[in-house]
């Protein structure tokens, strides 16, 4: 914030200085001759402006430069004031949420697994920050039953944010916008996507609701 205030002061000082100094260069005869040739006139027809006209042009340039500098100062000050807020929002902790379906109905794990009895089945739900996430059914490592995976995958393609669709026949996610592909756990198998699909942690609450929270563990796909 101190740096932002300092930047405002410097730019404002430059804006004030522009009111008493002509920063823009005067029009040179060579430029006038070039313009004359471009429009089909002879070079010697482009006469030098009178001293009164030159002074008036100088004042106009000074005024325009001063206005531009003031606009730049205002923009710099606005950025300096907004930047701390943007940084704070970026660092803000994302609170856990209860998963809901597209109709904002709270999901219960028992009913969800009854609808998705086979390992590998998945469904889009509303998760962190209201973003779409894929809930995934997987084989329970302790027995032959199907359970809810301990992770969910954010459905937004990491290229430009399109919705990565699940294609069961090929067992992969495919972005319909630019063709990026991901395997069943979200690893990139074809670009232009730069990184894997984002992870979220999945927990089952005592009342059978499904909770999604920020992934704070090492990425098991690395």
């Amino acid at each position: 914030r101190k740096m932002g205030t300092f930047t405002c002061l410097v730019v404002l000082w430059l804006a004030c200085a522009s009111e008493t100094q002509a920063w823009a260069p005067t029009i040179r005869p060579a430029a006038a001759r070039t313009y004359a040739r471009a429009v089909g006139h002879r070079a010697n027809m482009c006469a030098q402006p009178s001293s009164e006209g030159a002074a008036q042009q100088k004042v106009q340039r000074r005024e325009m430069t001063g206005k531009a500098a003031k606009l730049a100062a205002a923009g710099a000050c606005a950025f300096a004031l907004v930047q701390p807020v943007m940084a704070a929002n970026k660092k803000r902790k994302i609170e856990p949420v209860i998963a809901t379906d597209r109709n904002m109905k709270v999901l219960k794990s028992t009913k969800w697994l009854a609808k998705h009895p086979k390992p590998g089945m998945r469904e889009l739900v509303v998760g962190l920050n209201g973003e779409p996430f894929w809930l995934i059914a997987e084989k329970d490592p302790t027995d032959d039953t199907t359970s809810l995976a301990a992770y969910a995958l954010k459905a937004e393609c990491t290229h430009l944010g399109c919705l990565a669709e699940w294609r069961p026949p090929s067992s992969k996610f495919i972005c319909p916008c630019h063709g990026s592909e991901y395997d069943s756990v979200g690893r990139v198998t074809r670009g232009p996507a730069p990184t894997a699909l984002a992870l979220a942690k999945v927990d089952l609450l005592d009342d059978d609701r499904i909770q999604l929270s920020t992934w704070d563990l090492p990425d098991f796909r690395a």
Side-chain angles (χ1 to χ4, degrees):
R1 182 171 297 184
K2 291 182 178 179
M3 286 298 297
T5 305
F6 177 75
T7 303
C8 286
L9 293 175
V10 171
V11 179
L12 285 173
W13 178 82
L14 292 175
C16 294
S18 68
E19 293 295 323
T20 58
Q21 298 182 22
W23 291 356
T26 58
I27 299 176
R28 298 182 179 179
R33 290 195 297 271
T34 301
Y35 177 78
R37 287 195 297 270
V39 296
H41 294 285
R42 297 178 59 183
N44 56 12
M45 293 180 62
C46 187
Q48 292 294 324
S50 64
S51 58
E52 182 179 353
Q56 189 175 8
Q57 290 179 358
K58 193 173 183 179
V59 172
Q60 291 176 347
R61 287 195 300 271
R62 183 183 302 164
E63 291 177 351
M64 292 180 63
T65 305
K67 291 179 180 180
K70 288 178 180 179
L71 288 174
C77 289
F79 179 75
L81 294 173
V82 173
Q83 188 180 24
V85 179
M86 294 173 62
N89 289 336
K90 188 175 181 180
K91 295 180 180 179
R92 185 180 59 185
K93 183 179 179 182
I94 300 176
E95 297 296 331
V97 298
I98 303 301
T100 61
D101 62 16
R102 299 181 184 184
N103 298 319
M104 305 306 294
K105 183 178 179 181
V106 174
L107 296 173
K108 298 293 185 72
S109 62
T110 302
K111 291 184 178 180
W112 191 89
L113 288 171
K115 291 175 58 180
H116 305 84
K118 296 181 180 180
M121 297 182 74
R122 52 202 70 199
E123 180 186 7
L124 272 178
V125 301
V126 181
L128 299 175
N129 280 341
E131 301 287 351
F133 279 78
W134 288 100
L135 277 185
I136 303 170
E138 65 177 8
K139 184 177 179 180
D140 194 310
T142 60
D143 51 37
D144 291 332
T145 62
T146 302
S147 62
L148 198 61
Y151 65 92
L153 296 174
K154 190 173 183 179
E156 289 184 357
C157 177
T158 57
H159 178 220
L160 292 178
C162 296
L163 190 67
E165 301 174 352
W166 174 246
R167 304 289 177 84
S170 55
S171 296
K172 58 186 176 183
F173 295 98
I174 298 179
C175 176
C177 296
H178 302 97
S180 296
E181 296 183 3
Y182 308 83
D183 65 12
S184 61
V185 294
R187 285 184 292 245
V188 178
T189 57
R190 178 183 176 184
T195 57
L197 297 177
L199 293 165
K201 189 161 55 174
V202 175
D203 293 296
L204 300 182
L205 303 182
D206 294 338
D207 57 2
D208 206 34
R209 292 183 301 168
I210 304 169
Q211 177 181 274
L212 272 65
S213 58
T214 302
W215 185 266
D216 56 2
L217 303 172
D219 192 333
F220 60 88
R221 304 166 299 181

